[in-house]
Amino acid sequence: MKKYEPNVIRNVGIFSHGGEGKTSIVEAMLFLAGENNRIGRVDDGTSLMDYEPEEVERKITISSSLACFEWNKHKFNLLDTPGDDNFIADAKLCMKVVDAAIIVVSAVAGVKVQTEKVWGYANEFGIPVCIFINKMDRERADFEATVDDIKKNFTDKTILPIHLPIGKEENFKGVVDLLSMKAFVYKDDLSGDYDVMEIPKELLDTANAYREKVVEIAVEMDDEVMERYLNGEEIKEEEIELCLKKGIWEKKIVPILCGSAAKNMGIQPLLEAIIKHYPPPTFKKEIEAMDIKTGETKTIEIGPDKPFSAYVFKTITDPFAGKLTLFRVYSGEIHPDMTVLNATKDQKERIGQIFYLVGKKQKPAGLATFGDIAVLAKLKDVGTGDTLCDEKFPVKYKPVELPTPLISFSLQPKAKGDEDKLNSSLARLMEEDLTIKYKRDEQTKEFILSGMGQIHIEVLVEKLKRKFGVDVELKEPKVPYKETIKGTAKVQGKYKRQSGGRGQYGDTWLELSPLPRGAGFEFVDKIVGGVIPKQYIPAVEKGIVEAMEQGILAGFPVTDIKVTLYDGSYHEVDSSEMAFKIAASMGFKKGLEQSNPTLLEPIMKIEVIVPDENMGDVMGDLNSRRGKIMGVEAKGNYQVVKAVVPMAEILKYAPDLRSMTGGRGTFTVEFSHYEEVPAHIAAKIIEAAKKEKEQEK
């Protein structure tokens, strides 16, 4: 098995908005590299990379996949990532482990929402970027308009075309390389073969103008070369390429290439550009890590001669193949039969077989060296975001901050007895996808599944059925309302029963009064003179606590209430803990009726990040949802709107915000506090709760 030197490895991710042709580009690359004897197609389900049934059915990438292949004596580890906003978090995890990002933009549609998002991820992780304008063969494809759109949207770096298209729309047949000033004219047979020719006369003036711009920008990266250029000296092609490479590595220049994945045109020059202009793993000499003991961030040296360490960026679970762990080696190397430390969980793991992936196809690797990306099978407790390392040199890499779930549904297993199976199956899926959250709501007794959007949740439900045989129904989750009181009351709760032999007797006098929001429950014992013996006092409190589980308005739990036990009586023979428990429960319910009961609803704290032009619409919408705007602050070209909104009003906020902002708005939400429900809304909630109880009967 071949050992790859770090300088011939290229770790590349391919990113874009959904539907721009990322997977088709990768499929063309795999065909050219000899990994497939034909070009896989997403539309007809023959793609090597989109192999999950949910991906084949929807014709979109749902989960990132790895393609390891050789091209021109270099090893590519190419990560094909999702572009749909339901699954975009997977792209962010991949961005952490790559050394270069290909961002794909359609020649027809230009820059879209998720393109902006992945550009932000590349900036966050400091990754050099290459832009590939795809679909040059499509109707209405416009290279210059697309370049202008890219420049307008991404002003923080120098956008530099180094390719020009030859022909347009259905007559697209190749590219002009502005570095070699040659034309690559393709055969129209999907082979990817092309002839190197002189630039067509009709394109020569345009090519010269673009070439001049390439030279001007490239020489700015080197003072000595720039001085010679300004003095009128001829700058060699190799020098221009070195200057361009320096600008790319320093994240100052973003070159633009173009082509058509569907026609297999422009793909080899893209591969060659990655080899020639983008960094191998050796360009990183150090990396941020966390101190195992203190948790503080520190910088550590990395390299082939350092002790082994690796970051796990993806987990794939399969009921039949077991668990696959995808990782990048940041220092040293890893072999089968090694014992390594999972520094995140402080557990040791024995290493088994190491292999590479092309989609789901496994290829034995033997070992993985510094800078490589590879896969391990059947590790016990290793999950996404974990760090594997040498036991003697423990180190922990920072996990990726992922977006919080935006939408929740209640899950109802269709088959009786499937609850335990549901829990274990979702735990497996949560190893794969860190953006899933799952819990049981103790108040509503519902299983709540939260994700990034409706499609995300639907895909999870499909996987539950296909992979684990658990069929579930999705419902809107119930809002966990509560009940409280606004007034005070003094009531007697008396329980007396005589049925031959020993009877039951408990007599309590209770005072109910409201507490501040969030205070919960307070029980005060003010019994003096032994009118109720001490051994019965806990039973009184227990009776009240149990009665609080169901209020009198709509059966919701009671909260924020103080109950004082101040008088009562007992019977030497007939009194018991049970009698006092029942008496207290009766008194409490009577007291609720007399102390102005009311409904409370959960209020959520929400932060909405929206483009400037959408701020008015979003604030108006939040106000219409009974929200209160707490503040607005600027963040670049975006505004952060902070508000508090009732939970009931934002259960389906994610699709509404997407619609209002064209997909550009994002939000985070967390519980804040409980507030009284307005009377007209409370009446509807109480009526609905009564109907539900009648239906249950």
Side-chain angles (χ1 to χ4, degrees):
M1 288 167 210
K2 194 168 181 179
K3 178 177 177 179
Y4 292 96
E5 294 301 323
N7 64 315
V8 302
I9 293 172
R10 294 293 183 275
N11 296 316
V12 188
I14 188 160
F15 306 90
S16 79
H17 191 96
E20 307 293 68
K22 295 182 302 295
T23 303
S24 298
I25 291 169
V26 179
E27 294 292 340
M29 289 177 173
L30 292 174
F31 170 72
L32 292 168
E35 291 290 342
N36 202 356
N37 57 12
R38 60 174 180 165
I39 299 177
R41 300 278 181 203
V42 173
D43 288 344
D44 59 19
T46 58
S47 165
L48 285 180
M49 303 305 285
D50 286 355
Y51 56 85
E52 292 272 15
E54 294 78 17
E55 294 177 314
V56 174
E57 184 187 334
R58 285 182 165 80
K59 297 181 171 54
I60 61 169
T61 301
I62 285 171
S63 179
S64 57
S65 48
L66 173 62
C68 302
F69 61 89
E70 280 192 35
W71 170 264
N72 199 1
K73 298 179 182 175
H74 285 72
K75 187 199 177 210
F76 277 74
N77 295 316
L78 190 61
L79 287 162
D80 180 22
T81 67
D84 187 287
D85 63 341
N86 283 269
F87 311 103
I88 199 76
D90 211 11
K92 189 174 184 182
L93 283 162
C94 292
M95 195 71 85
K96 181 179 173 72
V97 297
V98 297
D99 300 317
I102 300 168
I103 293 182
V104 183
V105 178
S106 162
V108 179
V111 173
K112 291 187 184 173
V113 179
Q114 303 309 321
T115 322
E116 295 174 13
K117 198 169 279 186
V118 295
W119 180 272
Y121 292 162
N123 282 343
E124 183 182 336
F125 290 104
I127 305 299
V129 170
C130 162
I131 292 177
F132 186 79
I133 298 179
N134 192 28
K135 304 188 179 182
M136 288 303 310
D137 60 313
R138 296 287 179 90
E139 191 179 339
R140 300 194 317 280
D142 190 326
F143 179 78
E144 289 191 356
T146 307
V147 170
D148 288 343
D149 192 34
I150 292 165
K151 286 180 176 177
K152 185 181 80 179
N153 281 278
F154 306 134
T155 57
D156 54 325
K157 292 183 173 64
T158 301
I159 306 296
L160 184 65
I162 62 169
H163 277 182
L164 292 180
I166 302 172
K168 61 186 297 185
E169 299 181 346
E170 62 182 19
N171 296 316
F172 173 70
K173 56 185 178 182
V175 298
V176 171
D177 177 19
L178 296 169
L179 295 170
S180 65
M181 287 302 279
K182 295 290 183 186
F184 304 155
V185 179
Y186 285 80
K187 293 175 181 171
D188 194 13
D189 59 2
L190 302 183
S191 66
D193 294 338
Y194 60 87
D195 295 315
V196 180
M197 307 168 77
E198 294 303 315
I199 298 170
K201 284 180 184 176
E202 67 274 15
L203 270 177
L204 199 52
D205 288 347
T206 306
N208 282 327
Y210 270 93
R211 159 77 179 189
E212 198 173 315
K213 194 71 179 169
V214 170
V215 176
E216 279 176 13
I217 288 170
V219 298
E220 284 178 11
M221 300 299 125
D222 187 305
D223 291 343
E224 187 265 325
V225 177
M226 186 175 173
E227 193 176 327
R228 285 169 37 220
Y229 174 73
L230 292 173
N231 288 334
E233 285 186 37
E234 180 82 21
I235 307 299
K236 293 176 184 173
E237 187 185 319
E238 307 88 76
E239 290 180 293
I240 295 167
E241 293 210 353
L242 280 172
C243 290
L244 180 66
K245 181 174 169 179
K246 185 173 187 284
I248 292 169
W249 283 33
E250 292 176 358
K251 281 86 72 181
K252 293 175 182 174
I253 296 175
V254 175
I256 290 182
L257 293 83
C258 64
S260 163
K263 287 194 167 185
N264 196 6
M265 295 180 180
I267 307 301
Q268 298 103 317
L270 176 60
L271 288 165
E272 291 295 344
I274 295 296
I275 290 173
K276 198 182 285 187
H277 302 135
Y278 285 80
T282 47
F283 92 113
K284 277 185 183 171
K285 307 297 180 193
E286 51 188 33
I287 192 172
E288 276 195 353
M290 293 159 70
D291 189 288
I292 295 280
K293 291 175 184 172
T294 66
E296 291 178 4
T297 302
K298 61 180 183 178
T299 302
I300 63 166
E301 290 184 5
I302 57 173
D305 56 340
K306 304 293 178 190
F308 167 73
S309 68
Y311 179 80
V312 175
F313 66 92
K314 186 171 182 64
T315 305
I316 301 170
T317 61
D318 190 282
F320 308 107
K323 186 164 78 170
L324 302 181
T325 301
L326 281 66
F327 64 97
R328 169 168 173 163
V329 181
Y330 277 109
S331 59
E333 57 185 44
I334 184 170
H335 304 264
D337 299 325
M338 267 175 74
T339 298
V340 299
L341 175 69
N342 179 345
T344 310
K345 299 191 172 91
D346 194 24
Q347 293 174 338
K348 292 180 183 178
E349 291 278 354
R350 185 83 170 163
I351 300 303
Q353 186 189 9
I354 303 168
F355 49 90
Y356 299 130
L357 284 178
V358 177
K360 66 177 177 181
K361 185 172 72 176
Q362 298 178 8
K363 300 194 293 186
L367 79 164
T369 56
F370 162 67
D372 210 351
I373 289 176
V375 186
L376 292 164
K378 298 175 183 173
L379 296 182
K380 286 184 297 187
D381 296 306
V382 177
T384 304
D386 288 356
T387 300
L388 302 176
C389 61
D390 190 308
E391 297 173 75
K392 294 174 186 171
F393 298 94
V395 65
K396 192 163 130 188
Y397 294 120
K398 287 175 73 175
V400 176
E401 284 185 28
L402 295 173
T404 54
L406 304 177
I407 195 166
S408 299
F409 285 89
S410 164
L411 289 186
Q412 187 71 42
K414 288 184 180 177
K416 284 184 179 179
D418 260 2
E419 285 187 7
D420 289 342
K421 203 173 172 186
L422 175 65
N423 291 333
S424 61
S425 303
L426 274 169
R428 299 279 295 279
L429 289 178
M430 286 166 73
E431 289 179 349
E432 263 190 14
D433 187 345
L434 298 185
T435 57
I436 308 169
K437 294 289 179 278
Y438 174 64
K439 66 175 183 180
R440 179 177 166 83
D441 189 304
E442 290 307 318
Q443 180 180 324
T444 64
K445 304 294 186 278
E446 291 180 306
F447 295 103
I448 305 294
L449 180 65
S450 305
M452 301 310 298
Q454 178 105 17
I455 295 173
H456 188 199
I457 299 288
E458 287 172 3
V459 165
L460 290 170
V461 167
E462 288 167 21
K463 283 187 177 182
L464 274 174
K465 186 174 181 180
R466 176 176 63 84
K467 287 189 170 187
F468 305 103
V470 181
D471 205 358
V472 296
E473 195 178 341
L474 286 177
K475 292 182 178 176
E476 191 172 294
K478 293 176 183 174
V479 176
Y481 294 105
K482 292 189 178 180
E483 299 183 22
T484 192
I485 57 172
K486 292 196 282 184
T488 58
K490 289 186 175 182
V491 290
Q492 182 185 27
K494 188 173 184 180
Y495 179 61
K496 185 177 179 182
R497 199 167 194 180
Q498 200 69 43
S499 55
R502 185 177 170 179
Q504 294 281 0
Y505 183 89
D507 179 22
T508 60
W509 279 90
L510 307 172
E511 181 180 6
L512 278 66
S513 56
L515 286 176
R517 285 295 153 264
F521 169 62
E522 185 183 342
F523 176 74
V524 180
D525 172 14
K526 279 197 175 177
I527 293 298
V528 290
V531 292
I532 297 177
K534 278 190 170 23
Q535 69 262 32
Y536 298 139
I537 304 295
V540 172
E541 183 176 0
K542 192 174 181 184
I544 294 165
V545 169
E546 287 184 6
M548 284 174 68
E549 289 176 7
Q550 283 200 325
I552 58 163
L553 292 175
F556 297 117
V558 180
T559 188
D560 298 344
I561 193 166
K562 177 181 175 181
V563 182
T564 303
L565 173 65
Y566 66 91
D567 203 357
S569 62
Y570 76 103
H571 188 280
E572 285 188 1
V573 177
D574 291 348
S575 284
S576 66
E577 287 185 5
M578 179 59 73
F580 272 99
K581 183 178 160 187
I582 294 169
S585 173
M586 291 165 65
F588 179 76
K589 286 181 178 174
K590 193 194 300 181
L592 284 179
E593 292 172 3
Q594 297 175 21
S595 49
N596 196 3
T598 188
L599 273 190
L600 296 175
E601 64 181 341
I603 304 296
M604 311 305 283
K605 189 163 63 177
I606 189 169
E607 282 195 10
V608 192
I609 302 173
V610 292
D612 293 340
E613 63 267 26
N614 300 121
M615 189 178 73
D617 292 341
V618 168
M619 288 174 72
D621 177 71
L622 287 171
N623 285 325
S624 74
R625 295 172 189 265
R626 300 190 284 127
K628 294 175 192 164
I629 307 297
M630 309 303 287
V632 179
E633 58 186 55
K635 187 179 181 182
N637 296 327
Y638 286 74
Q639 298 288 334
V640 182
V641 181
K642 298 180 180 182
V644 287
V645 193
M647 179 194 278
E649 302 287 348
I650 55 169
L651 289 173
K652 292 184 175 175
Y653 187 60
D656 294 346
L657 179 66
R658 193 175 299 130
S659 172
M660 269 186 289
T661 63
R664 284 180 162 81
T666 59
F667 72 99
T668 57
V669 65
E670 61 180 283
F671 172 75
S672 176
H673 61 282
Y674 271 85
E675 264 181 26
E676 188 179 343
V677 181
H680 68 286
I681 295 172
K684 291 177 185 174
I685 295 166
I686 292 165
E687 185 64 32
K690 284 177 180 173
K691 278 184 183 174
E692 192 177 326
K693 279 188 179 176
E694 285 169 12
Q695 287 171 356
E696 284 174 3
K697 287 176 185 176

